[in-house]
Amino acid sequence: PLSFADLNSVNTIKKIGGSKEQQELRKLGFVPGTEIVVVSKTNGNVIVNVKEVRIAISEELARKIMV
């Protein structure tokens, strides 16, 4: 899961779990095959860089993104 990824390491999204979450994340650019970098982890939130944009997601949501 993305929540276990190391900071500042480049990862590739393999799949996204949960149908509702999957639709919302796709709208934000989280699609399988896309490179993603974890920038920061604080207070239960994960800040990621995906497609040159920084986005904050909950750690719970980050657990549904497989890298």
Side-chain angles (χ1 to χ4, degrees):
L2 182 63
S3 57
F4 296 136
D6 294 329
L7 293 179
N8 299 314
S9 64
V10 178
N11 301 281
T12 302
I13 298 173
K14 303 287 188 222
K15 72 174 194 171
I16 300 171
S19 59
K20 179 183 174 190
E21 293 86 357
Q22 194 175 71
Q23 290 176 356
E24 294 300 316
L25 288 170
R26 282 184 188 271
K27 291 178 187 176
L28 296 172
F30 293 81
V31 291
T34 302
E35 288 188 344
I36 187 168
V37 178
V38 176
V39 178
S40 174
K41 297 179 186 179
T42 55
N43 298 327
N45 293 311
V46 180
I47 299 174
V48 297
N49 195 14
V50 61
K51 295 189 175 183
E52 305 299 322
V53 176
R54 285 190 179 187
I55 300 174
I57 58 174
S58 69
E59 190 170 343
E60 179 182 344
L61 197 53
R63 280 189 233 116
K64 296 182 186 225
I65 301 171
M66 300 299 147
V67 294

